[in-house]
Amino acid sequence: MAVSMRDVDPAFQGAGQKAGLEIWRIENFNPKSIPKSSYGKFFTGDSYVILKTTASKSGALRHDIHYWIGKDTSQDEAGVAAIKTVELDAALGGRAVQYREVQGHETEKFLSYFKPCIIPLEGGVASGFKHAEAEKHKTRLFVCRGKHVVHVKEVPFARSSLNHDDIFVLDTESKIFQFNGSNSSIQERAKALEVVQYIKDTYHEGKCEIAAIEDGKLMADSETGEFWGFFGGFAPLPRKAASDDNKSADSRSPKLLCVEKGQAEHVEADSFKREFLDTNKCYILDCGLEMFVWMGRNTSLDDRKSASGVADELVSGIDQLKPQIIRVIEGFETVLFKSKFDSWPQTPDVTVSEDGRGKVAALLKRQGVNVKGLLKADAVKEEPQPHIDCTGHLQVWRVNGQEKILLPASDQSKFYSGDCFIFQYLYPGEDKDDCLIGTWIGKSSVEEERASANSLASKMVESMKFLASQARIYEGNEPIQFHSILQTFIVFKGGLGDAYKTYIAEKEIPDETYSEDGVALFRIQGSGPDNMQAIQVEPVASSLNSSYCYILHNGPAVFTWSGSNTSAEDQELVERMLDLIKPNLQSKPQREGTESEQFWDLLGGKSEYPSQKTSREAESDPHLFCCNFSKGNLKVTEIYNFSQDDLMTEDIFILDCYSDIFVWVGQEVDTKSRMQALTIGEKFLEHDFLLEKISRVAPIYVVMEGSEPPFFTRFFNWESAKSAMLGNSFQRKLKIVKNGGTAPVAKPKRRTTSHGGRSSSVPDKSQRSSRSMSVSPDRVRVRGRSPAFNALAATFESANARNLSTPPPVIRKLYPKSTTPDSAILASKSKAIAALTSSFEQPPSARESMIPRAVKVSPVTPKSNPEKNDKENSVSGRVESLTIEEDVKEGEAEDEEGLLIYPYERLKITSIDPVPDIDVTKRETYLSSAEFKEKFGMSKDAFYKLPKWKQNKLKMAIQLF
């Protein structure tokens, strides 16, 4: 499409360059920008152009343009608004979706910009009306319709306006009444209360009473009597009259019209296909309540204006219906438009779009217009975060038929492609313990065992009264939360289960199950010691990739291979993984391009292999859907510009993040529907409602209201007080409205003890011990754990300990200045005994009975009595923290917090005089505050607020890690 400056109205120059709303009112047949303070105020005699700009995670800007037509606006003014919308689209590069919004018949997307509602004011500019001026309060009656967004319309203040099907708001000078028709839904009543709150804040300065009136109560209470008094007393309500507002779409079949030179010609066809649309023409698809204008990319601006005018004429001739006109550009069609065709080819995104936008930007730049934002911005690369506390307690089971077998701590990080696994993770939440139960499904597992794994996991969730979240994860699609929980994750080929063994025997398939004595190749990946994986791949050269490191072994012969694109951090992960896969064996390092013949022989010879990592699907902008699942059929309704208030406790919602999805289940949902939550998620992936090619094996999370994990609530401005409220949606919202617009805060039932012995002297809960080793470039690396480390492991590992593949809890010394060493030991023992006694005497709460407390074994010292250790281990599931203090050795300094401090030269990993008996994973904690700031350039508090990966990177830079 050719663009010239005369096609772009000066009022639109610089528009759409940043995310947000921009609004113009048509005045004297020209668009004029209105101040942000007036956004949401629409006058019935005016027409408006509204631009919504959205910045996606990819860095691109998306645009939706709406033109709103008041009921009293002139035909000419409405026509100008339609034409200016086309011009604005041209100024933005010709790819925006355009909507015609008629007062009282607005799209849900449009209304979502102005939540909770818009209430048009009488008057106008171009229509000749005077804007409404401030005057004495006038009693008004509004009808409210809508479950997700509310259409508000003022109706005559008379009893005849009321009916049993709708919800009405009566706005009087001193009180606002909400009348709930007996046939209205709870969700509609709750949404209408948001309108009540809006009226209270807007027209009463937040100072008036609120009353809810139930249809059928008669004169049961004083407020009901007061309400009916405004209508001259109670009388039976009339039946709801049929009106334009509630007529459904007409029954006529969709029609496709081709527009040329201002004339529309019918396209004869029994069904519609994409091939019918010519890129050099414009078309109108008339679907009754929706009328689409499709504009080919090679059409001129005049052609598009002409087609829009034809659509307006067609709509103006329809008296009973008020169709919504939606204009789409070739290559940027909406999902709704595509759904009207029998076949719409799955084509990649239009690549010429950025080129077209670039030409528009270049043209405007030559005219002196600031074009910042018109071009696609570079995507912001962010390190993915787990958004979950990683200091909890993990258990893993392998599924074998209809049973699950609990794995010992040493095997919890070892998974097999031919098997299915169940994991349960207990972790500290905001004011209670939270639980995540999930299934991991191997690529080679059999279908029966997959169904068994999901069934067993669902029963575990049900046994906890649905207070736990549930996850379904397929091999190769593990989310960051899964890797962060396990820390170390190894996937072996083959399987150990009976189902897998039977399957390969019946199919006469060779058994590829991993053997320590055979040839095996592992790809090493991850972001650090707290998130590292080893994936067994085919032992052939084509499995290599220049962007990864690998471990290759044939019995005792072990090789490590580092691709040319790998970093020092990647190579360190290989060293850590060797401790788990082939401990106590020295490896033969291989750099890409300098491999030995023996290395290639084990892989069957050289061959070509890729050099770049396969980009993982990034998390996209989330979409929220309300679900209706009945008789195996799933119907969804998208919620635009969603917030926490859109999650109704009676419904099931899906949050689609593309890389994974969340199924949110309200507390008022029946048990049968709760049990179908995972099935609903699978159906959603199957249908791919957004036509985004979403993976059928994307992770699914089932989230229960009141137990939402932080990796779900991060998509909202979350208020825990709202999630903790009881009652249905209307009852909750009524409490909020009567409480001044905020949820009443109940006193949280916090635990009296902390998780993992956290205290002010210990780094925050995001810090987690991981395997650490001292590697000097000047000496031969020693494989495996040291004797001292093994002694500690034997002392601290128990059935109740944190089940991870990482080492047991580390030694931490706390030396308060106010006590002597002996008194400190006695005080510590006394506190421990008191804590044990009180924990035995106090019965656990109902929730604690259903969700075991997330236990983390606390640091102790190797000098403690073995007999005492046995006693403590037997009850470690009930003790959350226990610190034993040792004598302060002569010559050791303490900092202001009572921690031992040592000079940097003795703490670094290459020290010739290393400090013994310290926590080697937290060397930095033994630095004095002054030396810490000198080395890191920040305080300890600031350091421990950084992500763990960034902490490790800083420590590696100064040889403390």
Side-chain angles (χ1 to χ4, degrees):
M1 179 184 70
V3 181
S4 66
M5 278 305 298
R6 65 180 178 83
D7 297 325
V8 180
D9 194 290
F12 296 143
Q13 292 184 5
Q17 297 185 20
K18 59 182 180 179
L21 276 176
E22 295 172 79
I23 302 178
W24 297 264
R25 180 169 53 213
I26 304 300
E27 298 182 10
N28 297 322
F29 303 106
N30 289 302
K32 182 178 179 181
S33 178
I34 66 173
K36 290 188 176 182
S37 58
S38 297
Y39 285 11
K41 295 180 181 178
F42 295 90
F43 290 89
T44 61
D46 290 333
S47 295
Y48 298 79
V49 176
I50 300 94
L51 170 63
K52 172 66 172 179
T53 303
T54 306
S56 66
K57 288 184 179 294
S58 66
L61 295 178
R62 298 198 311 267
H63 300 100
D64 291 287
I65 308 174
H66 307 254
Y67 62 103
W68 186 88
I69 301 172
K71 66 181 180 64
D72 298 320
T73 191
S74 67
Q75 191 69 31
D76 290 341
E77 195 175 75
V80 170
I83 292 174
K84 292 301 178 182
T85 299
V86 179
E87 292 182 12
L88 177 57
D89 173 54
L92 295 171
R95 62 202 226 158
V97 180
Q98 306 159 46
Y99 303 82
R100 176 179 183 264
E101 309 286 354
V102 178
Q103 180 181 341
H105 302 271
E106 296 88 351
T107 62
E108 291 197 354
K109 174 174 275 192
F110 177 79
L111 291 176
S112 72
Y113 304 152
F114 308 101
K115 288 183 178 180
C117 65
I118 59 172
I119 302 178
L121 306 172
E122 293 294 327
V125 172
S127 60
F129 296 155
K130 292 182 179 180
H131 286 179
E133 297 179 355
E135 57 183 20
K136 186 178 179 181
H137 188 277
K138 176 185 175 183
T139 299
R140 297 183 295 173
L141 183 65
F142 300 93
V143 62
C144 301
R145 299 188 180 107
K147 177 180 175 181
H148 305 298
V149 294
V150 188
H151 289 80
V152 180
K153 179 182 179 181
E154 186 173 357
V155 294
F157 174 33
R159 182 191 294 109
S160 58
S161 296
L162 304 176
N163 61 62
H164 298 294
D165 299 318
D166 294 320
I167 298 164
F168 296 84
V169 174
L170 178 63
D171 179 21
T172 70
E173 186 172 6
S174 60
K175 185 178 289 189
I176 303 174
F177 298 87
Q178 176 172 315
F179 175 81
N180 299 319
S182 57
N183 296 332
S184 62
S185 69
I186 292 174
Q187 296 95 320
E188 289 175 312
R189 299 178 186 187
K191 276 296 175 185
L193 277 171
E194 295 181 7
V195 177
V196 171
Q197 182 70 52
Y198 171 80
I199 294 174
K200 177 182 177 181
D201 294 338
T202 305
Y203 300 105
H204 297 268
E205 298 180 346
K207 300 175 183 178
C208 73
E209 296 183 47
I210 304 295
I213 309 301
E214 296 299 324
D215 182 13
K217 265 195 173 181
L218 300 180
M219 309 294 282
D221 55 53
S222 59
E223 288 183 333
T224 303
E226 185 180 356
F227 171 79
W228 287 112
F230 284 98
F231 297 93
F234 174 80
L237 296 181
R239 287 181 176 272
K240 181 178 180 180
S243 66
D244 294 347
D245 297 332
N246 54 21
K247 285 184 181 294
S248 59
D250 56 357
S251 57
R252 69 177 186 269
S253 301
K255 296 186 299 182
L256 183 64
L257 306 172
C258 178
V259 180
E260 287 187 285
K261 297 180 180 179
Q263 300 296 319
E265 296 183 4
H266 187 257
V267 178
E268 296 291 341
D270 295 331
S271 60
F272 304 130
K273 297 182 179 180
R274 169 64 180 86
E275 291 77 16
F276 292 175
L277 305 178
D278 187 343
T279 188
N280 299 303
K281 298 179 181 179
C282 294
Y283 294 82
I284 294 176
L285 181 62
D286 184 358
C287 300
L289 286 181
E290 297 131 355
M291 185 175 290
F292 296 92
V293 180
W294 184 89
M295 296 172 279
R297 293 199 63 82
N298 293 336
T299 56
S300 66
L301 185 59
D302 290 337
D303 290 337
R304 298 181 182 186
K305 289 181 179 179
S306 176
S308 299
V310 172
D312 287 337
E313 291 177 6
L314 292 174
V315 169
S316 62
I318 302 175
D319 295 329
Q320 292 182 337
L321 296 172
K322 301 292 183 183
Q324 297 169 346
I325 296 179
I326 304 173
R327 302 196 289 246
V328 296
I329 308 296
E330 179 185 1
F332 301 96
E333 297 86 354
T334 63
V335 173
L336 183 60
F337 177 80
K338 293 178 182 179
S339 68
K340 305 297 181 182
F341 290 75
D342 285 352
S343 60
W344 193 277
Q346 292 282 358
T347 56
D349 295 337
V350 179
T351 56
V352 298
S353 60
E354 288 300 335
D355 180 58
R357 168 168 282 216
K359 290 178 180 178
V360 174
L363 177 64
L364 295 178
K365 188 174 183 179
R366 287 198 297 270
Q367 301 293 331
V369 179
N370 181 10
V371 295
K372 180 183 178 182
L374 277 180
L375 292 174
K376 179 178 177 180
D378 292 334
V380 178
K381 294 183 179 180
E382 296 180 352
E383 187 77 20
Q385 298 297 321
H387 298 282
I388 188 172
D389 190 305
C390 296
T391 63
H393 176 73
L394 176 70
Q395 287 182 291
V396 180
W397 294 263
R398 180 172 57 81
V399 177
N400 190 31
Q402 300 300 315
E403 300 177 346
K404 61 182 192 292
I405 302 171
L406 181 64
L407 300 183
S410 58
D411 292 338
Q412 286 194 336
S413 63
K414 300 174 183 178
F415 286 54
Y416 287 81
S417 288
D419 295 329
C420 295
F421 294 80
I422 296 175
F423 64 91
Q424 175 180 282
Y425 182 60
L426 307 175
Y427 61 98
E430 185 176 347
D431 54 16
K432 61 185 183 302
D433 286 341
D434 288 329
C435 180
L436 175 63
I437 295 174
T439 54
W440 183 89
I441 300 172
K443 288 181 178 179
S444 304
S445 60
V446 299
E447 193 60 43
E448 294 79 5
E449 201 147 81
R450 296 181 180 189
S452 176
N454 288 329
S455 176
L456 289 169
S458 296
K459 288 178 180 177
M460 292 172 67
V461 173
E462 185 181 8
S463 69
M464 293 184 175
K465 306 299 182 184
F466 298 99
L467 293 174
S469 298
Q470 185 175 354
R472 188 217 65 178
I473 299 169
Y474 277 90
E475 179 187 350
N477 288 270
E478 296 88 358
I480 182 66
Q481 291 81 20
F482 179 80
H483 285 150
S484 298
I485 289 170
L486 268 75
Q487 292 191 319
T488 302
F489 180 56
I490 305 174
V491 180
F492 296 109
K493 297 176 72 68
L496 304 178
D498 296 337
Y500 175 78
K501 299 294 185 184
T502 302
Y503 175 78
I504 61 174
E506 292 177 350
K507 299 292 183 179
E508 298 182 352
I509 300 174
D511 189 354
E512 296 182 330
T513 303
Y514 171 74
S515 170
E516 292 183 359
D517 300 326
V519 178
L521 179 65
F522 293 87
R523 183 179 70 245
I524 310 302
Q525 59 194 40
S527 60
D530 291 344
N531 179 356
M532 56 182 184
Q533 303 91 45
I535 312 298
Q536 187 179 359
V537 295
E538 289 293 325
V540 293
S542 59
S543 296
L544 299 176
N545 187 308
S546 301
S547 297
Y548 291 99
C549 293
Y550 292 79
I551 295 174
L552 173 66
H553 75 71
N554 181 18
V558 182
F559 297 85
T560 61
W561 186 86
S562 302
S564 58
N565 296 334
T566 59
S567 64
E569 290 83 357
D570 296 328
Q571 293 158 24
E572 184 187 351
L573 293 184
V574 173
E575 298 298 312
R576 292 177 179 274
M577 277 299 184
L578 279 171
D579 282 341
L580 301 173
I581 297 174
K582 281 291 182 180
N584 305 316
L585 289 176
Q586 191 67 36
S587 65
K588 300 176 182 179
Q590 308 281 307
R591 292 290 301 180
E592 183 176 8
T594 61
E595 299 89 349
S596 65
E597 289 298 326
Q598 186 182 5
F599 175 82
W600 290 121
D601 289 343
L602 286 179
L603 294 179
K606 295 182 181 181
S607 69
E608 293 185 357
Y609 52 83
S611 61
Q612 300 296 323
K613 290 183 179 180
T614 303
S615 58
R616 187 156 187 171
E617 298 295 351
E619 185 181 80
S620 68
D621 300 307
H623 297 261
L624 184 67
F625 297 87
C626 183
C627 302
N628 182 8
F629 187 64
S630 177
K631 298 180 180 179
N633 296 318
L634 178 63
K635 295 181 179 179
V636 299
T637 302
E638 184 168 4
I639 314 299
Y640 300 101
N641 297 294
F642 61 84
S643 68
Q644 182 183 356
D645 291 333
D646 291 310
L647 300 174
M648 297 288 186
T649 187
E650 296 79 18
D651 293 320
I652 293 177
F653 290 82
I654 286 182
L655 184 67
D656 177 7
C657 303
Y658 186 68
S659 58
D660 47 24
I661 68 170
F662 297 84
V663 183
W664 183 89
V665 184
Q667 290 181 357
E668 297 295 314
V669 173
D670 61 86
T671 303
K672 180 181 178 182
S673 297
R674 290 187 184 190
M675 295 296 294
Q676 295 175 325
L678 187 58
T679 302
I680 291 173
E682 292 173 336
K683 286 284 185 182
F684 183 87
L685 294 178
E686 177 184 340
H687 285 289
D688 190 14
F689 288 98
L690 290 178
L691 303 180
E692 57 185 350
K693 302 178 187 176
I694 191 170
S695 173
R696 294 279 295 273
V697 294
I700 300 175
Y701 292 100
V702 177
V703 176
M704 300 297 170
E705 182 183 14
S707 299
E708 294 89 350
F711 52 90
F712 171 80
T713 59
R714 70 188 181 95
F715 294 102
F716 304 81
N717 291 323
W718 197 260
E719 295 182 43
S720 299
K722 290 182 178 179
S723 181
M725 294 180 71
L726 302 177
N728 61 40
S729 297
F730 173 71
Q731 292 167 339
R732 297 183 189 187
K733 188 70 70 175
L734 186 59
K735 290 178 183 177
I736 292 174
V737 171
K738 290 189 173 183
N739 195 48
T742 58
V745 180
K747 291 184 179 179
K749 297 179 180 179
R750 283 194 170 274
R751 300 178 297 276
T752 56
T753 54
S754 63
H755 275 275
R758 298 187 205 103
S759 66
S760 60
S761 60
V762 180
D764 67 51
K765 67 183 180 182
S766 65
Q767 312 311 316
R768 189 178 182 183
S769 63
S770 61
R771 179 185 298 275
S772 178
M773 60 185 68
S774 299
V775 181
S776 172
D778 301 325
R779 66 187 180 196
V780 178
R781 182 179 174 280
V782 180
R783 311 278 333 148
R785 296 176 174 180
S786 67
F789 193 88
N790 288 326
L792 289 177
T795 303
F796 299 132
E797 288 179 347
S798 68
N800 292 324
R802 169 77 164 95
N803 290 325
L804 283 174
S805 60
T806 52
V810 296
I811 304 172
R812 194 182 308 280
K813 301 179 182 180
L814 303 179
Y815 298 93
K817 293 182 178 180
S818 60
T819 60
T820 63
D822 292 338
S823 63
I825 296 172
L826 294 175
S828 164
K829 293 179 179 178
S830 300
K831 289 180 181 178
I833 295 171
L836 287 174
T837 306
S838 62
S839 66
F840 293 145
E841 292 175 351
Q842 296 175 359
S845 65
R847 182 180 178 96
E848 289 172 339
S849 299
M850 289 177 283
I851 300 183
R853 180 161 294 178
V855 179
K856 187 179 181 183
V857 178
S858 307
V860 293
T861 67
K863 294 185 179 180
S864 55
N865 190 318
E867 183 180 349
K868 185 184 72 171
N869 281 339
D870 293 338
K871 294 178 180 179
E872 289 173 352
N873 286 336
S874 67
V875 294
S876 61
R878 303 188 65 117
V879 181
E880 292 193 349
S881 73
L882 181 59
T883 302
I884 295 181
E885 302 174 353
E886 292 187 314
D887 295 344
V888 179
K889 295 182 181 179
E890 187 175 347
E892 293 177 337
E894 298 177 5
D895 69 0
E896 61 274 11
E897 295 181 344
L899 288 171
L900 286 179
I901 60 174
Y902 297 97
Y904 165 74
E905 292 300 326
R906 295 191 64 194
L907 290 171
K908 63 182 183 179
I909 59 177
T910 57
S911 174
I912 60 175
D913 182 24
V915 181
D917 297 333
I918 63 167
D919 176 2
V920 294
T921 68
K922 299 292 181 186
R923 296 174 185 268
E924 75 282 358
T925 60
Y926 300 96
L927 290 172
S928 66
S929 298
E931 195 164 17
F932 189 99
K933 192 165 186 179
E934 176 188 347
K935 295 296 181 183
F936 289 96
M938 66 184 76
S939 66
K940 289 186 179 181
D941 289 340
F943 176 80
Y944 287 121
K945 290 179 181 178
L946 297 174
K948 186 65 180 292
W949 66 270
K950 188 169 289 187
Q951 293 179 23
N952 291 340
K953 198 167 185 178
L954 291 173
K955 290 194 290 184
M956 289 177 66
I958 60 172
Q959 299 183 345
L960 288 181
F961 186 74

